[in-house]
Amino acid sequence: MKFLLTLLIGVAIGAFLFLAGLYYNPFVAQASVSPIAVTDARVMDLSFSAVPGDGLLYTNNGESTVQPFPERVGELWEASIADSEVWVTELQNSRGVPVGLGIKFSTRSEQTELIRGAAMTNSIWHVYLPGRGTFVIDQTENFWSYIRDVVIPARWSSGDNWRGTYNRITTAGPGSLGTGRLTGGSGEFTDLTGEAVETLTARAYSVQTGPVSMTGNLTMALPVQAASQ
Amino acid sequence: MFKTLIIGVFLGIVGAGATVYLAPAVDLHRERSLIDVQPNGGNLEVFRINLPRDRLLVGLSGSVGSIPAGLEWPGEELLGDMQAELFKVRNRNNAVVGVASRLASSTEETGPFIEWALHLPARGTIYAQMELSPSVEGYRDGKLRAGTRDFQELTGSVREQFIAGEAGNEESQGQIELQTILVAPLGDIDEETDGDML
């Protein structure tokens, strides 16, 4: 009996050590500097508040920390879309002026491998910029550092919240440099392709309501003739 | 006793590692793809949107009929007459398989547009641009502009058609039917297989 108890305590310690190693793994890191920061292409920036209540519409399966908004929006409860969320928001330019509309579809990805520090989602931005045109951005995103540095510390905190400064690029592909793929639709973006990365900057998070102060940024590298128009 | 503890620690590390490595963190639900192979024309798949049940959003500046209730849509000074809609998308068996956005503007200064983004979580996304004028028969053709994951290498067309429901039935205003006909690129001919066949 004594040996069995010792074995079980050992197993618990071993499991704890493994999880601690997973959490503090120094070999897992996400960049905070964009791979398209150095490029010959023209760069366009769009930003948005990543707090769901600040957007126009947000919906998910209704069982997550972040609740759908507005209150009467339909929820994505069906099995095929229960791991997805939809987010509609105004997009602002670098001076904070609203310049368009973005719709983001995100789905948790089966490429998720926590042992490698990969909490992946597949996401699509469908964007309309009045006077310029439309495009989509296809990306895989890795939220592991966000979970590790923001969400888990908030849960550990006695006040059930987190305050600090978090800034990381979430885009991890499908481009070979970890960039997303932009495909133009109409207007000046017709027939264009480019690269894009999304960055999250968080300052406050609550376990009860999710992000309290968080902004997102889309940085896009476009062929010169498009961005200069 | 100490040896037992060390063995336990080892088993704990290996067990936790194996669990995290082997247990799928995400296991998406998949509906069977209902695809018809077209003679000389790729694979045809039909998606349906039941109105009003599958409508998640209708955003149009200056409209009193925005959906859902409580939606604060930006004014015309930002979005002009652009109409944004979000829907749940069903397969031919009426099972929900994804979500879609439809953006349309007739007065956009860079040119009017109508386009769809169909996001099918377990498969990928289809981005299609539609012709502005519908056909005499009432459908609107469009072209696949881009696809992701399962649809990445494909080319093809998309057809949009509104099928009206029973007159006066608020619960069944009709259906939007989206037909995709998608074609995979020709692969390299496998010389060995080719030789065997000869």
Side-chain angles (χ1 to χ4, degrees):
Chain A
M1 188 65 188
K2 204 164 61 178
F3 281 100
L4 183 63
L5 195 64
T6 308
L7 188 72
L8 289 175
I9 290 170
V11 168
I13 293 170
F16 175 78
L17 286 175
F18 177 81
L19 293 176
L22 199 67
Y23 183 74
Y24 292 107
N25 185 354
F27 300 108
V28 174
Q30 277 176 251
S32 55
V33 178
S34 162
I36 57 176
V38 182
T39 176
D40 291 338
R42 294 290 294 267
V43 172
M44 182 169 83
D45 273 307
L46 294 171
S47 62
F48 56 93
S49 168
V51 179
D54 292 346
L56 300 170
L57 179 142
Y58 170 83
T59 187
N60 57 19
N61 60 14
E63 294 173 359
S64 304
T65 302
V66 183
Q67 286 300 298
F69 171 87
E71 209 169 284
R72 294 184 63 184
V73 66
E75 293 173 354
L76 311 180
W77 56 268
E78 292 89 348
S80 296
I81 54 175
D83 287 307
S84 300
E85 54 186 34
V86 183
W87 162 250
V88 184
T89 186
E90 275 185 9
L91 298 171
Q92 301 169 339
N93 65 13
S94 50
R95 293 189 297 275
V97 178
V99 291
L101 180 89
I103 299 171
K104 187 180 186 183
F105 301 104
S106 304
T107 301
R108 293 200 293 152
S109 168
E110 289 171 335
Q111 291 175 331
T112 294
E113 287 183 275
L114 296 180
I115 204 162
R116 295 179 204 274
M120 310 301 288
T121 66
N122 294 311
S123 62
I124 289 284
W125 277 99
H126 191 184
V127 174
Y128 168 55
L129 303 180
R132 300 194 69 179
T134 56
F135 57 87
V136 294
I137 295 170
D138 154 38
Q139 51 179 352
T140 53
E141 295 182 86
N142 187 355
F143 285 93
W144 171 245
S145 72
Y146 173 71
I147 293 168
R148 185 187 62 188
D149 298 343
V150 176
V151 179
I152 293 175
R155 291 191 180 274
W156 281 348
S157 152
S158 56
D160 274 354
N161 61 47
W162 171 90
R163 281 180 189 280
T165 304
Y166 168 87
N167 179 263
R168 288 284 182 279
I169 289 171
T170 55
T171 307
S176 54
L177 292 176
T179 55
R181 185 176 44 226
L182 181 149
T183 305
S186 66
E188 70 182 68
F189 305 108
T190 306
D191 294 331
L192 287 183
T193 54
E195 291 179 294
V197 294
E198 184 170 341
T199 310
L200 269 188
T201 303
R203 299 194 189 288
Y205 180 93
S206 160
V207 172
Q208 277 81 36
T209 58
V212 175
S213 172
M214 188 158 80
T215 55
N217 191 272
L218 283 168
T219 304
M220 290 149 283
L222 295 165
V224 173
Q225 74 275 14
S228 61
Q229 283 173 13
Chain B
M1 187 74 84
F2 184 69
K3 275 184 186 172
T4 309
L5 185 72
I6 295 300
I7 290 169
V9 168
F10 179 74
L11 288 176
I13 291 173
V14 171
T19 305
V20 171
Y21 184 73
L22 296 175
V26 179
D27 188 12
L28 297 176
H29 176 85
R30 284 174 164 77
E31 292 288 338
R32 184 181 294 271
S33 299
L34 303 170
I35 292 172
D36 291 331
V37 178
Q38 298 292 290
N40 305 320
N43 295 331
L44 181 145
E45 194 165 4
V46 177
F47 300 100
R48 294 199 173 110
I49 295 163
N50 295 331
L51 300 175
R53 190 160 54 129
D54 293 336
R55 192 180 261 142
L56 295 169
L57 163 82
V58 179
L60 177 62
S61 301
S63 166
V64 291
S66 290
I67 295 172
L71 179 72
E72 291 181 20
W73 197 247
E76 267 178 63
E77 64 281 3
L78 176 61
L79 298 178
D81 77 334
M82 195 277 289
Q83 178 166 334
E85 294 171 280
L86 284 176
F87 304 100
K88 291 180 183 176
V89 177
R90 297 170 185 271
N91 65 8
R92 218 165 37 190
N93 285 350
N94 216 31
V96 172
V97 292
V99 280
S101 59
R102 184 182 191 271
L103 301 184
S105 172
S106 58
T107 60
E108 162 60 31
E109 62 186 79
T110 60
F113 62 87
I114 299 171
E115 56 185 45
W116 284 92
L118 263 76
H119 179 64
L120 309 175
R123 298 172 62 190
T125 301
I126 292 169
Y127 179 42
Q129 286 194 292
M130 313 303 292
E131 290 171 358
L132 298 172
S133 307
S135 69
V136 180
E137 290 82 12
Y139 59 80
R140 179 179 275 119
D141 280 326
K143 200 170 70 174
L144 176 70
R145 182 71 189 88
T148 73
R149 293 190 286 146
D150 289 4
F151 305 106
Q152 189 167 339
E153 301 291 325
L154 307 185
T155 56
S157 63
V158 178
R159 176 173 288 184
E160 164 198 273
Q161 184 166 21
F162 177 73
I163 302 164
E166 298 166 33
N169 184 352
E170 282 296 307
E171 293 300 309
S172 173
Q173 295 168 355
Q175 268 187 345
I176 298 173
E177 187 173 279
L178 291 169
Q179 269 186 25
T180 60
I181 299 179
L182 303 178
V183 185
L186 286 173
D188 295 333
I189 296 170
D190 185 335
E191 287 179 13
E192 206 171 291
T193 310
D194 199 35
D196 288 346
M197 287 173 72
L198 291 172

